[in-house]
Amino acid sequence: MEFYFLALLILIMAAALGSGYPVAFALPGAAIITIGLAAGAGYIFAGSTDAYFHSGGPNQWLSAGVTNLRGVYWEVERDTLIAIPLFIFMGIMLQRSKIAEDLLVTMAQLFGPVPGGLGISVVFVGALLAATTGIVGATVVAMGLISLPAMLRNNYSPSLATGTIAASGTLGQIIPPSIVLIILADQLASATDQASTARKALHKEATGELSMPSVFDVASTSAGEMFLGAFIPGLLLVGLYMAYILFYAILRPKNAPAVPYEGKYDSAFLKNVMLTLVPPLALIFLVLGSIIAGIATVNQAGAIGAAGAMIMAGYRLPKGGKSLYYPALLAIAALAVVTFALMNFDMNVKSIDDGTDKLGITLGVVGSVMLLVALVWSCWRVLKIEDTLAGVMLETAKTTSLVFIILLGAAMLTAAFRAFGGEELVKEFLLSLPGGFWMQFFIVMLVIFILGFFLDFIEIAVVVVPIVAPILLADPEANITAVWLGVMIGLNIQTSFLTPPFGFALFYLRGVAPAIVKTVQMYKGVIAFISLQIAALVIVGLYPPLVNYLPNRVSFLSESSPPPRNPKLQLCLEDYVGQQLSQSSATRDAIATARGLDLSVLPKSLAGDLMDGFDQAESAIAELEQAFASAAEVEAAAGEYRPQMKFVRSIEKQIRRAQAEIDEHSTQISRMRDESQATAKATLEAEVAVLEAEIEHLQAEIPGTWADVNKQFLTLTKAENGARNKYRRAADGAYEAPQAVLAVLDANDAFAAMEQPLQDMRATIMTTPEAEAEGLVNDLSKAFGKIEGADDVKKALGKARKALKSKTPDREKAIAEYDNAVEAFEAQQGWRSTANANLRADLEAYVDSIKGTLGVRQQERFTRDQALAMASCTAYHRDISLNF
């Protein structure tokens, strides 16, 4: 029965949406009505309101929906949604200030003489507006009103003209900052948690191990990473659009003719281009640049964008005057002052030490006040001119409310969908598909593409993504990243604005297009651009670094970059070290040189540790080579092993599913003690017998050779993992041993400074009362304990302290132990001085030579070259299914 109520849920939702009922009420309304009908039917026909739910009852699922609603606002991890109203405000403010109009006119003059120049200028402006506004409706309407008449007047094909405007207007859905990406990041954040749990369960079932290594876990994403990941695919889409228009114009010049500029390309024209183009580009740089550089979060970047849009509107809306650009110039000066202060002073108010710190804080305050004055000045202008600010605020509130109400409604709908087993149904369907992950992914993307014909991007993002994303992210075969999945879905959702019959961009354009342009021509015009979007999807799907590289690069170059010892980075790190060793013999030469050093000046223990370190360096290189050889053997054997593993894992999955049904039936049978339930009990027992027979049949299908094949393959993988672990231990030892000796030599000055306190301690031990002397000796012992390599002196002083502390203090014994300490001190002074003169330079050269290879794991953070190598390596998806 759950299936019928699930179908009813979808039917009610589809009927409500098809009738034009508001989405914000159709989603939760369908959920509440269906849950109510299921509860009522269960009470009437089965005597229990819980009868027709997959699990739980109506109260639990309605409560789950309410909990989801509260989570949208109250979970700290989801504060990214705060950025939505900020970016909406920025977009509407720029649209109302006619920035789009200025850009279109100026770019048309600049690109007009090029074949298809008007179309290329529309795409260029669409990309700029996407990076500053992200509001599809406003962008399409603005470009439709300004560009479409000009393109038709210059004999552009109506299909090409309308297709270009509609497609360019939708770029705001994928080029950051984008509301779609923010919502997707929010949905994927919870999806990754579910995927991580599912993958851990899968690993436990496949291997029997209680815990899964963190290297196999699913990484989450954020709105900032989504922005970075979508940046290059967005530019790729812009390039495809421009290339298509250019080739179209070359092949059919009559349908996209060049439009010569009637004016002159002089200094006045250049000044106009600069005033039109530079401010939007500067705003893009501030918004996206602050995120990429790690200076601001997405929320903070949204505030920067809103403030920048206000300042731009402050000089664009007024008609003219001497003071027209004063607020903008004041804001630029304020930013310059604040930047200077941040770069040259310590701006921590709590740590002001001298006049220099006070000067820096003063400059910061002055710059902040100047910026605040510029904002208030611009705000006053925008408020006074046609009450623009009030209109922008009202539109921002309306649009934000629409987005959030849909999010809330989708939370209710998702709870209802799960209540009737929809999530399990979708999961079973996807996991039962042949072809593994890529067939699942293709089906999901196809469904999203088809839904785009009928639903808006918000409904798709908040209804479909929470259901399918955990399934796709949990799959270890492709081991995709959440940011890549989000960008792929974002590119796919973008087509929802273009695909007829309900493409919103087409509706917006139809509303402002002249009657001479037929709707059929508009549909015809967007087909090519939909094809280009699909092509972009394929390109990004086949080459994940287009998405993953930029977020990784920013992460590895940031102050909070993951350390080199991070378990998830070890495979890439070992590949990097292997490349460095193969490209240069510097590490091997350094090891050979180090072996020739005269270590006799060091104590035997220290010399022995250092020689062990040199041995470990050679061992590390050998183990790394063995690890690569073992990895090649695993890869060679994987071709034959993987199909068998997939087949057996599939059977085991069916067995687990059948066993779960048996357990459920057995529980029900154990509760049936009434004679009236005998028939139902017999039916369940018969089903149990059928399931047990099915399990026996499935177990018989597992090849008899599987245990041996699996054991042989596990032997290979254990050999690889063993070699890698041995390499890591040996590499750490190879770097730590010389570092320990250098740390001892670095402490020479601190050690020498302890000579006088040590000499003075004799008189203290002999003349001071035992209890007091014991404390002073203890303090001196602790001081030596803080010095690298001075443990023998500390140990002797510790024995002297014990002699003074015993029930019968023995000053003579304390003096004897003290003399041992002095002797150890003098011995150390000798070899420390000699070693510093004879060994330090050679050891430092050795450490520097192996630092970039065997010593990488011991660094606090990656160097720039290493970080870029890690970003490139981790940008690819690595198949880890053989470990499951």
Side-chain angles (χ1 to χ4, degrees):
M1 286 298 294
E2 293 93 340
F3 177 78
Y4 295 107
F5 283 105
L6 181 64
L8 180 63
L9 171 68
I10 297 172
L11 183 62
I12 293 175
M13 181 188 68
L17 294 175
S19 65
Y21 200 74
V23 174
F25 303 108
L27 300 184
I32 294 171
I33 290 172
T34 308
I35 289 176
L37 290 174
Y43 180 77
I44 293 172
F45 299 108
S48 172
T49 57
D50 302 352
Y52 298 140
F53 289 88
H54 181 67
S55 62
N59 293 335
Q60 290 92 326
W61 288 110
L62 287 175
S63 299
V66 173
T67 302
N68 289 342
L69 304 186
R70 295 168 61 192
V72 171
Y73 289 107
W74 292 352
E75 287 184 14
V76 177
E77 293 80 4
R78 302 182 73 173
D79 67 341
T80 303
L81 296 176
I82 296 172
I84 291 178
L86 295 172
F87 285 122
I88 290 175
F89 176 90
M90 178 179 74
I92 296 175
M93 180 61 73
L94 291 175
Q95 187 266 332
R96 291 288 186 92
S97 60
K98 301 180 181 180
I99 299 295
E101 180 178 343
D102 294 345
L103 281 170
L104 282 167
V105 172
T106 304
M107 292 303 101
Q109 295 171 348
L110 189 62
F111 289 105
V114 180
L118 276 180
I120 292 175
S121 67
V122 168
V123 174
F124 183 81
V125 172
L128 287 181
L129 293 179
T132 52
T133 67
I135 309 298
V136 171
T139 304
V140 172
V141 169
M143 293 196 297
L145 288 171
I146 302 165
S147 297
L148 185 56
M151 296 175 81
L152 296 177
R153 190 167 55 248
N154 286 282
N155 300 318
Y156 264 68
S157 163
S159 295
L160 177 64
T162 54
T164 301
I165 293 172
S168 301
T170 64
L171 287 171
Q173 298 306 295
I174 194 62
I175 294 180
S178 164
I179 296 173
V180 175
L181 298 177
I182 295 175
I183 294 175
L184 284 172
D186 177 67
Q187 298 297 320
L188 288 170
S190 58
T192 50
D193 293 337
Q194 299 176 47
S196 177
T197 302
R199 186 176 287 185
K200 288 174 183 176
L202 181 63
H203 185 268
K204 182 179 179 181
E205 292 171 354
T207 64
E209 298 177 4
L210 295 178
S211 61
M212 181 182 72
S214 60
V215 68
F216 300 146
D217 207 352
V218 182
S220 187
T221 186
S222 64
E225 289 182 338
M226 290 292 292
F227 282 5
L228 294 170
F231 188 72
I232 295 176
L235 294 182
L236 171 67
L237 203 55
V238 171
L240 290 175
Y241 286 175
M242 288 184 172
Y244 167 73
I245 295 170
L246 180 61
F247 283 113
Y248 185 95
I250 293 173
L251 295 175
R252 297 183 180 180
K254 291 183 180 181
N255 290 343
V259 182
Y261 175 51
E262 296 178 357
K264 294 181 179 180
Y265 292 103
D266 52 13
S267 58
F269 177 78
L270 179 61
K271 178 182 177 182
N272 182 49
V273 170
M274 295 296 290
L275 286 175
T276 303
L277 194 58
V278 170
L281 289 177
L283 186 60
I284 294 170
F285 175 79
L286 286 174
V287 173
L288 298 184
S290 62
I291 296 174
I292 293 174
I295 298 173
T297 64
V298 174
N299 293 343
Q300 293 164 347
I304 293 171
M310 181 78 73
I311 291 173
M312 289 172 64
Y315 70 76
R316 179 59 184 84
L317 288 175
K319 295 182 179 179
K322 294 182 179 179
S323 62
L324 180 64
Y325 294 103
Y326 284 1
L329 293 175
L330 181 61
I332 294 172
L335 290 176
V337 171
V338 171
T339 302
F340 176 80
L342 290 172
M343 293 178 63
N344 294 279
F345 300 96
D346 182 6
M347 301 299 288
N348 190 341
V349 178
K350 295 182 179 180
S351 60
I352 296 178
D353 293 329
D354 51 28
T356 303
D357 293 337
K358 291 181 180 179
L359 176 61
I361 297 297
T362 303
L363 287 175
V365 171
V366 170
S368 300
V369 171
M370 290 169 60
L371 185 59
L372 184 61
V373 170
L375 283 171
V376 173
W377 195 347
S378 299
C379 181
W380 178 253
R381 285 183 173 182
V382 175
L383 179 64
K384 297 295 290 183
I385 298 174
E386 300 178 1
D387 206 18
T388 302
L389 182 60
V392 171
M393 294 291 286
L394 182 61
E395 288 299 317
T396 300
K398 287 180 179 178
T399 306
T400 303
S401 300
L402 174 65
V403 172
F404 274 85
I405 290 174
I406 292 176
L407 284 173
L408 301 179
M412 291 291 294
L413 183 70
T414 302
F417 190 80
R418 289 171 176 161
F420 301 113
E423 189 174 33
E424 290 297 322
L425 193 64
V426 171
K427 184 177 180 179
E428 289 180 8
F429 169 72
L430 290 177
L431 294 179
S432 65
L433 290 172
F437 169 84
W438 291 108
M439 178 57 71
Q440 300 169 15
F441 180 72
F442 175 77
I443 294 297
V444 168
M445 297 302 283
L446 181 63
V447 169
I448 291 176
F449 180 78
I450 294 173
L451 288 175
F453 284 65
F454 310 100
L455 299 179
D456 192 5
F457 71 92
I458 300 179
E459 294 95 275
I460 297 174
V462 299
V463 174
V464 179
V465 173
I467 297 171
V468 301
I471 301 171
L472 297 176
L473 290 171
D475 194 305
E477 179 182 355
N479 193 29
I480 60 173
T481 59
V483 65
W484 178 84
L485 179 61
V487 171
M488 290 293 289
I489 293 175
L491 279 170
N492 199 354
I493 288 177
Q494 187 179 351
T495 61
S496 67
F497 279 90
L498 293 181
T499 47
F502 302 116
F504 289 93
L506 300 177
F507 284 148
Y508 296 139
L509 188 56
R510 176 71 277 175
V512 298
I516 192 174
V517 178
K518 306 300 181 184
T519 302
V520 175
Q521 292 176 316
M522 296 172 59
Y523 287 173
K524 181 181 177 182
V526 297
I527 290 175
F529 291 94
I530 293 174
S531 301
L532 292 174
Q533 289 178 339
I534 295 174
L537 262 176
V538 173
I539 294 172
V540 175
L542 294 176
Y543 194 64
L546 289 174
V547 174
N548 294 328
Y549 177 73
L550 195 54
N552 290 351
R553 178 189 174 100
V554 171
S555 173
F556 283 112
L557 291 177
S558 69
E559 292 295 328
S560 58
S561 63
R565 294 181 72 93
N566 188 311
K568 289 190 174 185
L569 305 179
Q570 297 312 301
L571 294 180
C572 284
L573 194 60
E574 284 151 17
D575 289 343
Y576 170 79
V577 172
Q579 286 182 342
Q580 298 300 309
L581 291 174
S582 65
Q583 293 172 2
S584 172
S585 62
T587 298
R588 291 182 172 85
D589 294 342
I591 296 171
T593 302
R595 282 195 169 279
L597 296 177
D598 181 10
L599 305 182
S600 61
V601 297
L602 297 173
K604 289 184 178 180
S605 60
L606 209 56
D609 291 343
L610 190 55
M611 187 56 69
D612 288 342
F614 299 152
D615 292 339
Q616 287 181 306
E618 291 184 341
S619 175
I621 296 176
E623 292 295 345
L624 185 60
E625 292 174 349
Q626 179 58 45
F628 291 154
S630 298
E633 292 179 8
V634 170
E635 187 63 28
E640 183 178 350
Y641 174 76
R642 183 176 277 110
Q644 297 182 59
M645 184 199 72
K646 287 183 177 180
F647 177 71
V648 173
R649 295 291 183 243
S650 175
I651 293 176
E652 290 174 345
K653 189 181 298 180
Q654 296 177 57
I655 292 174
R656 287 194 298 270
R657 191 177 301 149
Q659 187 61 51
E661 290 187 47
I662 290 176
D663 294 341
E664 184 179 348
H665 289 346
S666 298
T667 302
Q668 293 178 344
I669 291 171
S670 66
R671 295 173 180 173
M672 293 179 175
R673 298 184 178 88
D674 195 282
E675 293 182 2
S676 61
Q677 298 175 315
T679 303
K681 183 176 182 180
T683 302
L684 288 176
E685 289 174 343
E687 291 181 6
V688 168
V690 171
L691 289 170
E692 289 175 344
E694 181 183 346
I695 289 177
E696 290 182 9
H697 175 70
L698 289 171
Q699 289 175 337
E701 289 186 6
I702 297 177
T705 59
W706 165 246
D708 292 335
V709 170
N710 185 40
K711 183 177 180 181
Q712 292 173 5
F713 189 80
L714 288 178
T715 301
L716 293 177
T717 57
K718 286 180 179 178
E720 179 190 352
N721 293 333
R724 290 186 183 277
N725 288 330
K726 289 179 181 178
Y727 157 75
R728 293 163 193 168
R729 288 193 294 269
D732 292 345
Y735 190 75
E736 288 171 350
Q739 281 288 76
V741 176
L742 287 174
V744 170
L745 299 181
D746 289 339
N748 280 357
D749 291 340
F751 185 82
M754 298 299 295
E755 182 175 7
Q756 190 62 45
L758 182 63
Q759 291 177 355
D760 295 341
M761 189 55 62
R762 171 180 285 275
T764 300
I765 295 174
M766 294 180 65
T767 60
T768 307
E770 289 88 343
E772 183 180 350
E774 183 267 329
L776 294 173
V777 172
N778 186 42
D779 291 340
L780 185 62
S781 175
K782 289 180 179 180
F784 272 103
K786 295 177 181 179
I787 299 174
E788 292 289 340
D791 288 342
D792 52 351
V793 181
K794 175 191 174 184
K795 185 176 180 181
L797 288 173
K799 291 180 179 179
R801 181 185 69 84
K802 287 182 179 179
L804 294 170
K805 189 180 180 182
S806 63
K807 293 181 179 180
T808 56
D810 188 344
R811 288 183 185 270
E812 292 184 3
K813 184 177 180 181
I815 288 294
E817 295 296 346
Y818 166 79
D819 290 338
N820 291 336
V822 171
E823 184 180 348
F825 180 87
E826 292 172 348
Q828 278 207 41
Q829 272 191 320
W831 66 254
R832 278 176 180 269
S833 176
T834 305
N836 191 62
N838 298 342
L839 281 180
R840 173 185 283 277
D842 293 327
L843 288 179
E844 287 178 344
Y846 170 76
V847 168
D848 288 340
S849 297
I850 70 169
K851 185 177 182 180
T853 52
L854 304 182
V856 171
R857 281 168 46 86
Q858 298 300 312
Q859 298 173 181
E860 291 185 3
R861 56 182 297 123
F862 291 111
T863 65
R864 180 177 178 82
D865 290 342
Q866 292 166 356
L868 295 180
M870 292 300 101
S872 178
C873 178
T874 55
Y876 292 89
H877 297 151
R878 191 186 294 264
D879 183 356
I880 58 173
S881 61
L882 295 177
N883 298 281
F884 286 77

